[in-house]
């Protein structure tokens, strides 16, 4: 007997025997649902045998037989009614447990539970519900197997990576039939939020309407994606609308898991708790920094991977530089609580950064992962590991705290057939083509190539994906390879930046001659690039298919 718990009220299992009933009762179950028709297998006890044993044990028993591979809509409705009436918790069983898990999934869909949540819960219990994705998305009912839209190329995600890919494709062939799927009205230049938090940029300059940025003649499907059916070349949208494609590009970015820190959501934007990782909070960062005259300022960094690994310490540097310029630095206790064990992942840039850590007298606290925060009491708790691998909690009080939340792939990606074991889209790191599905590519923060997750990386990836997709269509001669390029302009003080540029394995990949910008040292030229050049380059070049300093390496 192998019982798998779905939630607190339901568990499912393969076929049970009358001799199992006592153990089932001892585990606290109060009812049993049989979803297997009598006579399905030669070694199968009849339902009456099960129900008689259940009655002796004081368990209620319900017979809802479902033919294997033929779960009907009416079966799901009947299962839902049984779950409403039966005493809990309930154990449902069939031959393997799959029919019972399917019935639960369809019933949850009928009650509006988000599709990714249903798929993940079932998967954790050991059941793959990808075969009934459309039915779950359609409220537990069988939809018509027709596409609501069909395009040669479909791009999931209208962020930096998605629009850059569309523009790179459009620049190569303006006659392509391309659609972008994204529900957002506003597109953000997220690299600018660190500058907003440092009092340099105004937040409004980092936002534009999505409609103004999607390339002309590219269709915009303003909807959220629920699931993928790569075997059918289909994307399932909320409401069970189906979009078919010949080739797919997946670029929805990553998920900022604000709920991954206990108490964080309740106190964001007040009580001295802020984050430059959100548009509406970056101005609050500057408010806190400009008003702080003394006290403790804490800056956090969660475990990797995260969007722009340098951003957590950029907030520290710009804040500390302001306190230095206003003469209060000696009254501010600065702490950098980093879940990792190094200041920066590419060692060549660490000496220059350490000079500033020492200048600002910031205390580096490695191996500190933020787990809980109490805004009103101005306290935060960190999980701290020791050499034996055991964790303890350390409490730190603060006057202001800049929090970087844990980050994961979006839910609908993590539960999809496109994901690797860690939940990221599984691609070849050179071609950015999916390892299992030949007509799918991915770029940006959501895919699993071992590069830094930065806008600069997406800028270099977009031409690679565009070329390779067209090469697959017979419209380009050679295959392009992405070298892992990423850039992180580390704003160490107002007016100076350490421009980190590197690729796979930490290989340095400077795009400028060292006489102009030496990336290992803080320079004013790099600041000018960050402040004056990169924003218009983002809006007017990258998002419009102009590939200055971004053309990919061609192979063959």
């Amino acid at each position: 007997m192998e019982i798998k718990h779905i939630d607190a009220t339901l568990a499912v299992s393969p076929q049970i025997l009358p001799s199992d009933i006592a153990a089932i009762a001892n585990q606290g179950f109060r009812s049993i649902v049989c979803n297997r028709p009598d006579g399905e297998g030669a070694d199968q006890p009849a339902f009456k045998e099960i129900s008689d044993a259940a009655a002796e044990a004081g368990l209620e028993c319900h017979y809802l037989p479902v033919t294997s591979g033929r779960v009907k809509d009416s079966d799901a409705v009947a299962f839902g009614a049984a779950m409403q009436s039966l005493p809990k918790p309930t154990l449902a069983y069939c031959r393997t447990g799959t029919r019972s898990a399917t019935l639960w999934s369809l019933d949850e869909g009928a009650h509006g539970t988000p599709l990714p949540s249903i798929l993940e819960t079932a998967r954790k219990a050991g059941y793959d519900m990808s075969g009934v994705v459309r039915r779950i998305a359609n409220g537990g009912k069988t939809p018509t197997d027709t596409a609501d839209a069909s395009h040669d190329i479909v791009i999931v995600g209208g962020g930096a990576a998605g629009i850059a890919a569309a523009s790179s494709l459009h620049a190569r062939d303006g006659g392509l039939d391309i659609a972008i799927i994204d529900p957002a009205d506003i597109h953000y230049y997220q690299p600018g939020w660190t500058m907003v938090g440092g009092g340099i940029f105004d937040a409004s300059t980092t936002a534009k309407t999505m409609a103004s940025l999607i390339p002309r003649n590219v269709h915009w499907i303003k909807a959220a994606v629920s699931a993928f059916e790569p075997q059918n070349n289909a994307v399932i949208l909320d409401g069970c609308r189906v979009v078919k494609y010949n080739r797919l590009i997946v670029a929805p970015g990553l998920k900022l898991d604000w709920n991954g820190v206990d108490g964080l959501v309740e106190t964001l934007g007040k009580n001295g708790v802020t984050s430059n990782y959100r548009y509406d909070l970056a101005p609050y960062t500057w408010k806190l920094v400009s008003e702080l005259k003394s006290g403790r300022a804490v800056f956090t960094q969660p475990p990797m991977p995260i969007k722009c690994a340098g951003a957590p310490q950029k907030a520290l540097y710009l804040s500390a530089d302001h306190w230095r310029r206003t003469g209060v630095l000696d009254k501010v206790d600065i702490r950098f609580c980093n879940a990792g064990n190094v200041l920066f992942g590419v060692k060549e840039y660490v000496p220059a950064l350490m000079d500033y850590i020492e200048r600002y007298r910031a205390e580096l606290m490695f191996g500190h992962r933020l787990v809980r925060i109490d805004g009103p009491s101005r306290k935060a708790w960190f999980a701290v590991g020791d050499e034996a691998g055991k964790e303890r909690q350390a409490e730190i009080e603060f006057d202001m705290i800049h929090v970087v939340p844990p980050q994961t792939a979006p839910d609908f990606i993590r539960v999809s057939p496109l994901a690797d074991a860690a939940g990221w889209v599984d691609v070849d790191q050179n071609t950015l083509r999916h390892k299992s599905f030949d007509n799918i590519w991915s770029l940006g923060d959501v895919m699993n190539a071992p590069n830094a997750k930065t806008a600069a990386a997406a800028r270099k990836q977009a031409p690679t994906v565009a070329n390779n997709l067209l090469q697959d269509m017979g419209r380009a001669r050679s295959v392009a390879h992405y070298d892992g390029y990423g850039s992180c302009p580390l704003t160490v003080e107002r007016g100076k930046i350490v421009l980190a540029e590197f690729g796979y394995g930490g290989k340095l990949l400077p795009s400028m001659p060292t006489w102009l910008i030496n990336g290992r040292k803080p320079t004013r030229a790099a600041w000018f690039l960050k402040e004056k050049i990169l924003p218009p380059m983002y809006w007017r070049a990258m998002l419009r298919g102009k590939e200055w300093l971004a053309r990919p390496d061609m192979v063959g």
Side-chain angles (χ1 to χ4, degrees):
M1 182 177 61
E2 185 181 5
I3 294 176
K4 299 178 179 180
H5 290 270
I6 299 292
D7 58 25
T9 65
L10 176 69
V12 300
S13 80
Q15 177 69 55
I16 61 173
L17 303 173
S19 58
D20 295 325
I21 297 298
I24 290 169
N26 287 338
Q27 290 187 40
F29 290 99
R30 299 178 60 200
S31 59
I32 295 173
V33 174
C34 172
N35 295 133
R36 192 179 189 191
D38 280 346
E40 191 178 67
D43 58 349
Q44 171 190 355
F47 172 70
K48 189 175 187 308
E49 297 175 67
I50 299 293
S51 62
D52 287 348
E56 290 183 14
L59 303 182
E60 193 169 331
C61 214
H62 186 76
Y63 187 49
L64 177 58
V66 175
T67 303
S68 180
R70 298 181 182 176
V71 179
K72 297 180 291 187
D73 294 350
S74 58
D75 295 330
V77 172
F79 183 84
M83 288 301 295
Q84 288 292 320
S85 62
L86 290 171
K88 309 293 186 303
T90 299
L91 174 67
Y93 73 91
C94 56
R95 186 179 70 84
T96 64
T98 298
R99 270 168 281 181
S100 299
T102 300
L103 290 165
W104 170 82
S105 298
L106 294 174
D107 181 53
E108 287 293 303
H111 287 88
T113 303
L115 177 57
S117 175
I118 297 172
L119 296 177
E120 184 163 25
T121 299
R123 187 174 67 173
K124 285 181 177 178
Y127 297 101
D128 179 7
M129 293 293 107
S130 60
V132 290
V133 159
R134 292 195 199 186
R135 295 178 64 184
I136 300 171
N138 197 41
K141 299 178 181 179
T142 303
T144 57
D145 191 21
T146 57
D148 296 280
S150 182
H151 299 277
D152 287 341
I153 302 167
V154 169
I155 301 173
V156 175
I163 291 183
S167 295
S168 286
L169 282 166
H170 201 259
R172 286 167 169 78
D173 187 341
L176 292 169
D177 174 23
I178 305 172
I180 288 178
I181 304 175
D182 197 298
D185 291 305
I186 305 297
H187 178 107
Y188 295 103
Y189 175 57
Q190 297 180 30
W193 292 349
T194 296
M195 303 289 265
V196 174
I200 298 149
F201 286 177
D202 184 87
S204 63
T205 65
T206 68
K208 292 184 184 293
T209 63
M210 187 74 78
S212 69
L213 297 172
I214 292 178
R216 188 177 302 172
N217 297 327
V218 170
H219 305 273
W220 178 22
I221 301 173
K222 193 172 182 292
V225 171
S226 290
F228 298 90
E229 286 185 356
Q231 70 279 8
N232 296 320
N233 294 336
V235 175
I236 314 301
L237 309 182
D238 280 355
C240 202
R241 288 180 292 159
V242 178
V243 178
K244 290 271 195 172
Y245 58 83
N246 292 324
R247 289 167 180 82
L248 178 69
I249 297 173
V250 184
L254 50 67
K255 173 185 175 181
L256 300 176
D257 188 9
W258 300 103
N259 289 300
V261 176
D262 186 30
L264 177 59
V265 171
E266 293 81 0
T267 192
L268 274 170
K270 56 187 176 182
N271 302 315
V273 182
T274 189
S275 179
N276 289 341
Y277 275 70
R278 218 170 76 183
Y279 173 78
D280 61 319
L281 293 177
Y284 184 54
T285 300
W286 175 239
K287 181 177 186 297
L288 293 174
V289 170
S290 59
E291 292 179 354
L292 186 69
K293 307 303 179 186
S294 64
R296 178 176 293 153
V298 177
F299 299 83
T300 77
Q301 179 169 319
M304 300 295 285
I306 64 171
K307 182 194 298 285
C308 189
Q313 57 186 288
K314 293 181 197 179
L316 183 158
Y317 298 137
L318 283 177
S319 300
D321 182 58
H322 172 77
W323 295 323
R324 179 183 65 84
R325 291 170 182 270
T326 54
V328 299
L329 181 61
D330 60 341
K331 299 177 183 177
V332 180
D333 173 16
I334 303 173
R335 305 202 180 178
F336 185 41
C337 297
N338 186 347
N341 294 310
V342 294
L343 182 60
F344 195 72
V346 182
K347 66 180 187 303
E348 284 82 357
Y349 300 109
V350 172
L353 301 177
M354 279 302 303
D355 286 344
Y356 279 89
I357 290 293
E358 294 168 3
R359 175 187 297 187
Y360 299 138
R361 296 192 293 278
E363 181 178 353
L364 296 178
M365 304 179 74
F366 293 125
H368 279 60
R369 175 173 57 86
L370 180 65
V371 294
R372 183 160 65 96
I373 192 164
D374 184 339
S377 70
R378 304 287 178 114
K379 293 180 179 179
W381 289 264
F382 295 82
V384 184
D386 60 21
E387 294 181 356
K390 295 182 180 180
E391 281 192 343
R392 61 178 176 84
Q393 281 206 355
E395 176 186 302
I396 298 178
E397 296 183 350
F398 62 84
D399 291 282
M400 71 160 280
I401 183 169
H402 178 271
V403 176
V404 179
Q407 295 163 40
T408 66
D411 295 341
F412 72 94
I413 295 291
R414 289 189 293 109
V415 300
S416 77
L418 309 184
D420 65 8
W424 306 95
V425 179
D426 195 18
V427 300
D428 177 275
Q429 70 175 38
N430 296 312
T431 65
L432 304 184
R433 193 173 197 168
H434 199 277
K435 291 180 180 177
S436 301
F437 303 104
D438 286 345
N439 63 339
I440 298 177
W441 290 259
S442 183
L443 73 158
D445 295 343
V446 76
M447 56 85 171
N448 67 352
N451 62 282
K453 296 184 184 295
T454 67
R459 182 173 64 86
K460 193 76 179 285
Q461 293 159 8
T464 300
V465 168
N467 178 89
N468 291 346
L469 187 151
L470 290 175
Q471 194 272 341
D472 185 63
M473 295 175 69
R475 301 188 189 184
R477 293 183 179 180
S478 302
V479 173
H481 274 197
Y482 168 59
D483 58 8
Y485 176 84
S487 174
C488 186
L490 292 147
T491 49
V492 289
E493 64 174 291
R494 193 175 186 125
K496 286 188 179 181
I497 277 178
V498 172
L499 182 60
E501 296 180 283
F502 49 90
Y504 290 138
K507 180 182 178 181
L508 302 190
L509 295 174
S511 56
M512 302 286 181
T514 54
W515 61 264
L516 180 60
I517 296 179
N518 183 346
R520 301 190 193 193
K521 298 179 179 180
T523 65
R524 296 192 181 278
W527 177 272
F528 180 79
L529 180 73
K530 170 73 173 178
E531 183 184 21
K532 302 296 185 183
I533 303 299
L534 291 184
M537 183 176 171
Y538 178 86
W539 296 117
R540 300 172 192 170
M542 175 179 172
L543 299 189
R544 295 185 180 179
K546 298 175 182 177
E547 298 165 3
W548 181 58
L549 296 178
R551 293 196 177 276
D553 298 327
M554 309 307 294
V555 179

